[in-house]
Amino acid sequence: MLRRAGPSLCHFLLERNSGAGRSSCSREAKMSRPVQARRLEGIDKNIWVEFVKLAATYSKVNLGQGFPDFPAPDFLTEALSRALGGGNHMLHQYTRAFGHPPLVKVLAQFFEKLLGRDLDPMTNVMVTVGAYQALFCCFQALVDEGDEVIIIEPFFDCYEPMVKMAGGTPVFVPLRPNPPKDGKLMSSADWQLDAAELASKFSERTKAIVLNSPNNPLGKVFSRGELGLIAELCVKHDVLCISDEVYEWLVYDGKQHIRIASLEGMWERTVIIGSAGKTFSATGWKVGWVVGPDRLLKHLRTVHQNSVYHCATIAQEAVAQGFQRELMLYGKPESYFVQLPKELQQKRDWLVQSLDGVGMKPIIPEGTYFLVADISQFKSDVPDVPDSDEPYDYRFTKWMVKNKGLAAIPLSAFYSEAHKNNYTNFIRFCFAKEEATLKAANDILQKWKQEKTSS
Amino acid sequence: TMPFRHKNTRRIEGLDSNVWVEFTKVAADPSIVNLGQGLPDISPPSYVKEELAKVAAVDRLNQYTRGFGHPSLVKALSQVYEKVCGRKIDPLTDILVTVGAYGSLFSTIQALIEEGDEVIIIEPFYDCYEPMVKMAGAKPVFIPLRFKNDGNSASSADWVLDPVELANKFNSKTKAIILNTPHNPIGKVFTREELQVIADLCIKHDTLCISDEVYEWLVYKGNKHIKIATLPGMWERTVTIGSAGKTYSVTGWKLGWSIGPEYLIKHLQVVHQNTLYTCPTPLQEALAQAFWIDYRRMDDPDCYFYSLSRELESKRDRMAQLLREAGLKPVIPDGGYFMIVDVSTLNVDLSDVDEKQPYDYKFVKWMIASKKLSAIPLSAFCGPETKKEFEKYIRFCFIKKDSTLDAAEVILKNWNKQTG
């Protein structure tokens, strides 16, 4: 049996003896095993820790991490102020563990409309600390050691370590780019799954597939046909679907976000994940939710009650009021769910123009507030280093933030270790930014281009 | 159609039931005087609420902050605890902010405990320790506090560990011991000597100490909260957990923290970045501001850390008096905001209640139904072997406003006048 690598407690005591006074490591102590649990193996690295620090240190214009730099809507912050000013100091105390009643009730009402089925707020909805914790509950509740989980690349980076922490085996299947023949800019729709390749990934050990639509980082909005393909395989192999739909309201060009849970045979095997942070441009509130059948959610409840137990009351109260407003205004022009995508589409188009204008080739996203650009025609400043242990796009983005003050995220960050070198000429920008920010980004890019052409 | 094969994962097998889910439902009726679940019905201090109101107006505070803890909050925590511990605490490497102390317990256990490990849990215990240890695949090893009293008025100090019994629980598989001081539910404040016994064993057997100190500020006259991490040889093996909810009477803010040496905290940070990544920004900022206010007056008796404790001491004494008047013998806590009492002396006959539940569960349900007063049964806080010893106790929470205690007084004064 292999001894695990890593420092043991005893080892550290001996190293730190200087601070402790007397020697505290007894020779009788039999334990000299590593202090950390095995479930942490291979999941300690995290792209955000590194890139957030870089952006904080060097960036003048941050289009890296995905959060808006424009304010959360007034009606949401006013709801928080009202809750605070209302004199009900019990809003500062614990609420119902599985979700503040006003919030789960309005979420049930909302999703009843969207899914066309009756929902019980107490059993078909649970509130979590952001969509992140919803994902965690899914994997911990449903993925056992030896289970396989299919992850579509490129993927929001936490899926892989979460599957591993649950003892599962991630199985990757890529979206492959099929560039248009007419030389026009690619759309996220041009990145597609190969049906046969996808089918080959399902085995008798497959427990679940993680779907993220609209997709971060590409912005792809899976079509009904594409979802149908996935659904068919899920039903055929009796596999669960963890459906990360945090960008559900951010779809452009009149496209429609289709919920896989509404497809035949899917409700009973799907957990839908949503986020107030993305829905209401308030990522720092960390309010998320799951919607699904009780027979799956009951296991998520068990994980939740044994990990965080409650979510912050007052944030849930304010989000509930935000949803009440949207319920009343649903489909109307004043609805935030109508206005926000409209605004973001303009910003998307602006950034697309900006990048295209300097020779970076943007892939036009159908949804989300991310955009991936092909930098292969723009890379002269950062030479290829054949034996570098870092993919090209990591080096490019690090150079760019340090030398140009513009922060973006390398696309390889959204690929598994084995596939990190498949797409190294792409970087991801976030365009949920004020006009001034996008203009400043354009200025940097224009100046950079001029420097390149004049040299 | 195929039978549905998707059941729960092994790690959560048997962990679905929970005393709170059961009893908060039963006590939700507003006509019931609720002294059960540990949540204050007193208002948090006004400056704490004001800080949150101020924060609501600042745009960037509605977006993500630093994952391991909002900078101004970890800075404030490091200052406060440097003063308390008398050692340098690095805000970036020695602290993790979590979703309540509950989240700290979870992060610590997931980071450092696994299958093959044993974890010593002192009974009675805050109920989540056992399922969390099990969820990590480890084996809980219980040791009870035992009541040693010569017949005088009972105090939480009378509940003690037998040092020989404790020593026998340690072996080469023991990864950690979970300490809770001040203790929930009994209110015991472990003395320096008692902590030294535990520390000696941790050092001898090279184990970790997970020290749940959420009630650290709530100690009553004649008692001092001592951090086991400050004992020689203990800083490097201890994770100390604190709670905003208990410190500032804001349980609904769900912010807690773990403090310890970098080489332990870094593993908790890995768990955190793979479970929920960040805690809410506005609440962390408001908490930081509240901490600065109290940090500046830490040498002043008006500091909330001390003033809350004084306020609660008089509530404690009142609660004890009311229980005595009803013919009960409360165990006077030296800290925390809970009080346990032996109800077997009332001789309420519940043998005809046809449930396989322990006596205290039946008693509390009966008390809720017939007296409109709620509490929590103590056997919820113990392992399977000691249920018989603890099932005659129930726990009352006294961090309640005067009108709540007034209502409890009416019920307790009239207790013997009503027929069961």
Side-chain angles (χ1 to χ4, degrees):
Chain A
M1 167 101 114
L2 283 171
R3 265 247 113 102
R4 278 174 291 131
S8 67
L9 273 183
C10 202
H11 169 78
F12 268 80
L13 284 172
L14 290 169
E15 283 205 317
R16 284 167 144 69
N17 218 2
S18 48
R22 60 179 170 152
S23 168
S24 30
C25 184
S26 160
R27 290 201 184 278
E28 290 134 81
K30 298 243 177 22
M31 188 175 93
S32 60
R33 65 198 119 127
V35 73
Q36 76 275 22
R38 262 168 302 214
R39 66 179 66 82
L40 304 191
E41 236 151 72
I43 64 169
D44 49 315
K45 299 247 176 317
N46 182 282
I47 174 115
W48 305 110
V49 175
E50 188 179 9
F51 277 83
V52 165
K53 225 192 295 190
L54 279 170
T57 313
Y58 297 104
S59 78
K60 299 188 183 64
V61 179
N62 188 357
L63 303 189
Q65 193 185 5
F67 62 87
D69 70 358
F70 49 76
D74 286 338
F75 66 81
L76 191 76
T77 51
E78 276 159 21
L80 182 64
S81 297
R82 265 200 312 276
L84 287 168
N88 176 9
H89 62 248
M90 292 311 284
L91 286 175
H92 295 283
Q93 307 307 334
Y94 294 129
T95 182
R96 178 177 168 269
F98 304 131
H100 189 50
L103 180 54
V104 292
K105 288 197 180 113
V106 72
L107 284 170
Q109 280 179 284
F110 220 94
F111 281 90
E112 271 179 353
K113 281 163 77 86
L114 298 171
L115 295 167
R117 61 162 58 232
D118 285 336
L119 295 176
D120 179 345
M122 300 294 137
T123 58
N124 296 133
V125 183
M126 185 178 83
V127 176
T128 55
V129 180
Y132 215 96
Q133 195 229 337
L135 286 160
F136 179 74
C137 285
C138 284
F139 295 120
Q140 290 286 310
L142 305 168
V143 176
D144 249 324
E145 196 149 333
D147 288 341
E148 289 179 5
V149 178
I150 298 172
I151 298 175
I152 299 166
E153 289 179 311
F155 57 92
F156 180 56
D157 70 294
C158 80
Y159 302 157
E160 184 184 2
M162 282 194 186
V163 166
K164 284 178 159 163
M165 192 172 160
T169 305
V171 170
F172 300 100
V173 61
L175 286 162
R176 294 181 185 282
N178 297 308
K181 305 275 194 294
D182 53 10
K184 280 218 191 90
L185 288 173
M186 263 205 280
S187 150
S188 53
D190 297 322
W191 287 65
Q192 292 149 1
L193 291 170
D194 178 297
E197 188 177 15
L198 176 63
S200 75
K201 302 292 180 178
F202 282 76
S203 80
E204 58 196 24
R205 281 174 307 282
T206 310
K207 190 67 194 281
I209 179 168
V210 183
L211 173 69
N212 177 217
S213 181
N215 167 279
N216 171 12
L218 283 174
K220 178 181 178 63
V221 174
F222 284 70
S223 67
R224 187 174 288 279
E226 288 171 316
L227 295 175
L229 192 67
I230 294 170
E232 221 179 279
L233 286 162
C234 283
V235 170
K236 175 178 175 184
H237 295 274
D238 191 18
V239 160
L240 300 174
C241 181
I242 297 168
S243 187
D244 177 352
E245 303 185 20
V246 297
Y247 301 103
E248 58 189 311
W249 300 110
L250 306 185
V251 287
Y252 311 121
D253 309 316
K255 279 224 153 65
Q256 213 207 348
H257 168 65
I258 297 161
R259 293 176 173 80
I260 197 170
S262 61
L263 269 57
E264 181 90 35
M266 290 307 287
W267 165 257
E268 50 258 41
R269 60 183 66 257
T270 304
V271 178
I272 307 169
I273 293 171
S275 157
K278 309 295 191 277
T279 295
F280 291 114
S281 311
T283 59
W285 284 33
K286 294 293 294 187
V287 174
W289 53 83
V290 288
V291 173
D294 184 41
R295 68 182 184 177
L296 293 178
L297 255 59
K298 69 182 182 186
H299 303 313
L300 273 69
R301 290 195 291 269
T302 303
V303 173
H304 184 78
Q305 90 195 19
N306 287 300
S307 56
V308 307
Y309 199 16
H310 300 88
C311 301
T313 311
I314 205 142
Q316 294 187 68
E317 174 70 26
V319 170
Q321 292 190 30
F323 265 109
Q324 292 288 4
R325 176 203 195 258
E326 287 304 303
L327 195 62
M328 283 197 299
L329 294 175
Y330 188 71
K332 299 201 169 74
E334 317 97 280
S335 155
Y336 191 66
F337 300 166
V338 170
Q339 292 189 333
L340 182 63
K342 215 162 118 190
E343 258 179 60
L344 285 172
Q345 179 167 329
Q346 284 184 323
K347 293 177 191 292
R348 175 198 71 168
D349 295 343
W350 215 88
L351 184 61
V352 164
Q353 231 185 344
S354 194
L355 293 168
D356 197 24
V358 299
M360 288 188 184
K361 299 240 159 288
I363 299 163
I364 304 175
E366 300 156 272
T368 78
Y369 44 52
F370 300 110
L371 180 165
V372 171
D374 180 343
I375 46 149
S376 44
Q377 304 303 312
F378 201 83
K379 44 199 272 198
S380 54
D381 286 319
V382 187
D384 266 311
V385 173
D387 295 318
S388 172
D389 54 0
E390 265 190 318
Y392 180 79
D393 51 357
Y394 270 68
R395 292 179 43 248
F396 183 90
T397 45
K398 285 183 182 177
W399 186 93
M400 185 170 76
V401 73
K402 286 180 183 163
N403 293 281
K404 300 295 172 190
L406 177 62
I409 304 291
L411 191 69
S412 312
F414 305 97
Y415 281 85
S416 59
E417 201 55 47
H419 303 152
K420 273 213 194 306
N421 288 303
N422 292 7
Y423 297 99
T424 58
N425 287 316
F426 296 90
I427 64 180
R428 184 197 84 170
F429 293 98
C430 172
F431 56 85
K433 306 291 173 186
E434 301 268 31
E435 220 176 275
T437 311
L438 297 173
K439 276 202 158 67
N442 188 53
D443 290 342
I444 290 175
L445 290 166
Q446 285 294 332
K447 186 154 172 274
W448 189 358
K449 179 189 175 188
Q450 274 162 30
E451 283 164 13
K452 283 152 75 68
T453 47
S454 63
S455 62
Chain B
T1 45
M2 275 194 285
F4 193 64
R5 66 173 171 115
H6 299 284
K7 23 192 306 277
N8 52 288
T9 48
R10 280 188 296 271
R11 68 179 62 86
I12 55 172
E13 184 63 40
L15 306 187
D16 47 316
S17 68
N18 179 287
V19 65
W20 307 110
V21 177
E22 199 178 343
F23 280 88
T24 46
K25 234 192 296 196
V26 175
D29 176 348
S31 71
I32 292 171
V33 178
N34 190 354
L35 303 187
Q37 190 186 8
L39 84 167
D41 65 5
I42 59 173
S43 174
S46 47
Y47 61 91
V48 171
K49 295 186 285 183
E50 273 153 33
E51 289 303 331
L52 186 56
K54 275 193 236 168
V55 156
V58 181
D59 287 336
R60 63 176 173 80
L61 293 174
N62 290 313
Q63 307 305 334
Y64 292 131
T65 183
R66 176 178 169 269
F68 305 141
H70 187 53
S72 60
L73 177 56
V74 292
K75 186 94 220 291
L77 287 168
S78 74
Q79 301 278 72
V80 168
Y81 286 103
E82 273 180 3
K83 206 171 150 90
V84 172
C85 298
R87 66 147 49 223
K88 198 103 196 58
I89 295 173
D90 184 317
L92 302 183
T93 60
D94 300 347
I95 301 179
L96 173 67
V97 175
T98 55
V99 176
Y102 216 94
S104 270
L105 286 160
F106 184 73
S107 298
T108 305
I109 291 169
Q110 285 285 309
L112 306 172
I113 307 295
E114 59 181 349
E115 201 163 325
D117 290 341
E118 289 183 9
V119 177
I120 298 172
I121 298 175
I122 299 165
E123 297 172 299
F125 52 88
Y126 181 58
D127 71 297
C128 80
Y129 301 161
E130 183 186 2
M132 283 191 184
V133 165
K134 285 179 162 167
M135 190 170 160
K139 178 179 169 203
V141 170
F142 300 107
I143 178 165
L145 285 163
R146 295 185 188 281
F147 186 52
K148 290 205 161 14
N149 176 285
D150 319 334
N152 297 326
S153 172
S155 149
S156 59
D158 299 328
W159 288 78
V160 295
L161 291 173
D162 180 314
V164 173
E165 190 181 9
L166 179 63
N168 286 333
K169 301 289 179 180
F170 282 77
N171 61 47
S172 60
K173 294 204 187 84
T174 310
K175 190 68 185 283
I177 179 168
I178 302 178
L179 172 68
N180 178 216
T181 182
H183 180 269
N184 172 10
I186 295 180
K188 178 182 178 63
V189 175
F190 284 71
T191 63
R192 185 174 291 277
E193 293 69 33
E194 289 173 314
L195 293 175
Q196 193 61 63
V197 169
I198 296 171
D200 287 344
L201 286 162
C202 286
I203 290 164
K204 176 177 179 186
H205 293 273
D206 196 19
T207 63
L208 298 167
C209 180
I210 301 170
S211 190
D212 176 352
E213 302 185 11
V214 298
Y215 303 104
E216 58 188 308
W217 305 112
L218 307 181
V219 286
Y220 305 123
K221 266 201 290 291
N223 297 280
K224 187 165 154 42
H225 172 67
I226 296 163
K227 289 180 162 309
I228 197 170
T230 59
L231 269 55
M234 289 306 287
W235 169 258
E236 51 259 50
R237 60 180 68 256
T238 305
V239 175
T240 306
I241 293 171
S243 156
K246 310 296 189 271
T247 298
Y248 283 110
S249 311
V250 288
T251 59
W253 286 29
K254 286 294 296 193
L255 286 173
W257 45 87
S258 302
I259 299 181
E262 177 181 358
Y263 94 100
L264 292 180
I265 297 297
K266 73 180 183 188
H267 300 305
L268 277 65
Q269 290 176 338
V270 170
V271 171
H272 188 77
Q273 90 197 15
N274 288 297
T275 51
L276 50 96
Y277 206 88
T278 46
C279 293
T281 314
L283 293 166
Q284 291 190 73
E285 175 64 24
L287 182 62
Q289 296 308 319
F291 263 117
W292 286 125
I293 289 170
D294 284 300
Y295 173 70
R296 281 191 285 268
R297 51 182 189 171
M298 266 178 93
D299 294 323
D300 190 326
D302 282 341
C303 176
Y304 189 69
F305 305 160
Y306 321 132
S307 66
L308 176 62
S309 170
R310 285 194 302 274
E311 189 186 337
L312 287 175
E313 186 159 349
S314 50
K315 290 183 190 289
R316 175 196 72 166
D317 296 341
R318 185 180 175 193
M319 186 85 239
Q321 185 58 19
L322 297 178
L323 292 169
R324 285 190 195 105
E325 279 168 16
L328 289 162
K329 289 204 163 116
V331 174
I332 311 301
D334 288 329
Y337 49 58
F338 300 109
M339 183 177 291
I340 67 168
V341 59
D342 178 347
V343 295
S344 64
T345 54
L346 294 176
N347 290 314
V348 175
D349 183 4
L350 298 167
S351 51
D352 59 339
V353 175
D354 191 38
E355 290 185 64
K356 287 174 178 58
Q357 295 201 316
Y359 181 80
D360 52 355
Y361 271 70
K362 295 196 283 195
F363 184 92
V364 169
K365 287 182 179 170
W366 166 84
M367 187 172 73
I368 291 171
S370 62
K371 303 291 181 190
K372 299 287 192 188
L373 177 66
S374 80
I376 298 292
L378 214 71
S379 56
F381 301 99
C382 66
E385 315 281 302
T386 43
K387 287 216 192 293
K388 282 265 160 269
E389 282 151 55
F390 290 113
E391 66 174 340
K392 56 187 188 178
Y393 292 96
I394 65 176
R395 182 197 84 171
F396 287 104
C397 171
F398 56 84
I399 184 165
K400 301 291 174 184
K401 56 188 196 263
D402 290 341
S403 55
T404 307
L405 295 175
D406 292 342
E409 177 167 6
V410 170
I411 294 170
L412 289 163
K413 279 198 149 84
N414 290 313
W415 189 285
N416 296 316
K417 294 179 185 163
Q418 288 173 294
T419 46

